[in-house]
Every structure is written in C-alpha cells, then in structure tokens.
C-alpha cells in the first residue's frame, strides 16, 4: 500500500513513457496498454498531488476506490474514462483484469503555475478546471480519444520536438474534460454490505486495538470466511486495510 509508478517499458502490449524521458513539467507517466491476456490486478495504492486518468478504447476495466471510509467498485468500458484524484486509495480489486486497450497518464498538480509548458495564466486555469472535476467516470467521444491517440503518436517518436507537439494535443484533451458527460452513477456497484459494515466499524474505532475476530463478528461471517470475503471484495487483506487506515 504505497505510491505506484510504472517503469519505462516499450513492448507490444505495454508502452510507458516516464517523466525522466519526456521531461515535461506537470506530466507523469504517459502510457498505452493493449492487453491481449488477463493481467494481475494492481494493489491498493495512491498518488500524491497527482490526477490519474485511464481512457478506455475497448474492453472493460475495474477500479475500486476508497473514499470517506467507503469502497466503491467502478466499471468502465470503451469510450469511457476513469479519474483518480490526489491521495485517493484505489486498486483493481482481487480479480485479474481482462484484455482491454486504453491510454493512461498522470498530471502532477503540485505546481499549479507550471503545467505542460503553459504560461502561468493558462496553467493555473487548467489546474482550476481539473480540481473542480467531481465525477470519477466520464463519457469520452471519438474526438477526445483522437486527441490522445495523436498525442501518444508524437510522444512515441521520443524527440524533444515531438514531445512539444504531442503535449499540445494532450492539453486539448484536458481542457475539454469539463464538457464531458458523467457516467450515470447507478453504474457503480458498492461492495458486499456486511464487509462494508465491518469497514465502518473499523474506521469508527481506528484508534482502538480491534481484532479480526471482532470485525468478523460485526460482519456476521466466520473468521475464515470474513478474511477470504474481505480480500475478494476489496483486493487487500483486512490487516492491510487496517494498516492503510492507520497510516492516513
């Protein structure tokens, strides 16, 4: 349970351009994934001062997000995007991710006046638009996906000039997020209510020494089933979740 950043990679299924390669202020990793096989889910983690965006082209992807002591499971498909905001704990749950194709990138907002090569006025305007976003799921049109495709095509050349051109298309994509339609919220699914009850009990008593047996009793499950069900629902063990809450 920590911050996770992928290393530079350039394979048929996974292309990751890291910030030490492109050196564009305010941009973290910029990646293209075209997975033809199921992959292991990512563990619960967060990003400091970073907005992370996954824009789906085809297939289906799952993300579980912990916020205000609630864990919500999001499902997004082609022409939809998921946004994880700074310091939000998220993972892919416990199930392998199915084959899919998507773009993913990170915007570091730690310096609002120096984003993506923009001057201070436009950089701060972009920052304001990004932090005002409220929804985690948005519908994405063909035009917006083409912005990302074009941006990544230029980034793939890996030259300073091409990075400068590519970031212009990426900036166009970002400035348009405010106009995108949120995905209807009933498409998000909450985790098992009994496990959620145990999570609420834990967070309400986080400063106490709570045993797993006590949490299992709150959930109404046996201890062995509780531990299995908790990981199946959240992607992490009860003990890992306790440590995560205490570290906040």
């Amino acid at each position: 349970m920590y911050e996770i950043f992928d290393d530079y990679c350039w394979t048929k299924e996974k292309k990751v351009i890291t910030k030490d390669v492109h050196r564009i202020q305010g941009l973290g990793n910029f990646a293209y994934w075209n997975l033809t096989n199921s992959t292991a889910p990512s563990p619960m983690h967060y990003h400091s001062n970073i907005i992370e965006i996954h824009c789906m082209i085809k297939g289906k992807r799952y993300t579980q997000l912990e916020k205000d002591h609630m864990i919500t499971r999001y499902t997004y498909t082609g022409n939809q995007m998921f946004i994880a905001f700074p310091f939000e704990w998220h993972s892919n749950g416990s199930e392998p991710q199915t084959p899919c194709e998507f773009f993913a990138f990170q915007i570091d907002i730690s310096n609002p006046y120096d984003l993506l090569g923009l001057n201070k006025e436009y950089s701060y305007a972009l920052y304001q638009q990004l932090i005002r976003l409220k929804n985690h799921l948005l519908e994405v049109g063909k035009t917006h996906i083409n912005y990302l495709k074009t941006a990544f095509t230029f980034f793939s050349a890996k030259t300073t000039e091409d990075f400068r051109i590519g970031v212009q298309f990426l900036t166009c994509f970002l400035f348009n997020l405010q106009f995108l339609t949120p995905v209807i919220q009933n498409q998000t699914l909450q985790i098992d209510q009994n496990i959620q009850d145990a999570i609420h009990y834990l967070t309400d008593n986080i400063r106490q020494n709570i045993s797993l047996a006590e949490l299992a009793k709150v959930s109404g499950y046996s201890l062995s089933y509780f531990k299995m069900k908790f990981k199946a629902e959240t992607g992490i063990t009860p003990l890992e979740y306790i440590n995560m809450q205490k570290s906040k």
Side-chain angles (χ1 to χ4, degrees), residues 9-128:
C9 180
W10 204 261
T11 67
K12 184 177 180 180
E13 293 196 340
K14 179 181 177 182
K15 296 177 171 62
V16 181
I17 302 174
T18 52
K19 62 181 181 180
D20 61 309
V21 174
H22 61 67
R23 298 187 179 184
I24 295 171
Q25 188 66 31
L27 179 64
N29 287 355
F30 190 8
Y32 167 71
W33 298 65
N34 188 12
L35 303 175
T36 57
N37 298 293
S38 296
T39 58
S42 64
M44 190 70 78
H45 63 285
Y46 70 94
H47 297 296
S48 304
N49 298 313
I50 283 177
I51 295 174
E52 185 171 61
I53 294 174
H54 289 77
C55 184
M56 297 295 295
I57 299 174
K58 62 182 180 182
K60 182 183 295 184
R61 192 166 174 83
Y62 307 94
T63 295
Q64 292 189 167
L65 187 144
E66 195 272 348
K67 184 177 182 181
D68 298 329
H69 311 314
M70 295 283 290
I71 295 180
T72 303
R73 181 181 296 130
Y74 294 89
T75 301
Y76 41 109
T77 58
N79 296 320
Q80 293 181 344
M81 59 177 285
F82 175 80
I83 305 175
F85 296 101
F87 299 101
E88 289 186 335
W89 291 85
H90 57 284
S91 74
N92 297 132
S94 59
E95 297 297 322
Q97 293 290 285
T98 58
C100 57
E101 181 182 4
F102 64 95
F103 289 100
F105 62 94
Q106 301 162 332
I107 301 299
D108 185 343
I109 59 172
S110 56
N111 186 350
Y113 295 97
D114 192 6
L115 294 178
L116 308 180
L118 298 170
N119 65 24
K120 289 185 177 181
E121 177 186 355
Y122 284 91
S123 177
Y124 192 72
L126 177 59
Y127 165 78
Q128 287 290 315

Side-chain angles (χ1 to χ4, degrees), residues 138-206:
L138 298 172
E139 299 284 356
V140 186
K142 183 177 180 181
T143 298
H144 305 96
I145 291 177
N146 283 337
Y147 282 148
L148 285 185
K149 285 183 177 179
T150 304
F152 197 82
T153 297
F154 278 104
F155 271 75
S156 298
K158 303 178 190 131
T159 69
T160 300
E161 184 60 31
D162 286 300
F163 288 149
R164 289 171 180 167
I165 298 173
V167 78
Q168 306 306 311
F169 286 93
L170 186 60
T171 301
C172 287
F173 176 87
L174 289 168
F175 269 110
N176 274 277
L177 293 186
Q178 61 183 313
F179 304 117
L180 299 184
T181 303
V183 176
I184 298 173
Q185 288 301 299
N186 61 17
Q187 293 186 29
T188 64
L189 301 175
Q190 303 248 331
I191 67 171
D192 179 85
Q193 186 58 55
N194 292 341
I195 297 299
Q196 191 66 71
D197 290 343
I199 289 174
H200 278 304
Y201 180 82
L202 169 64
T203 52
D204 287 343
N205 300 276
I206 193 62

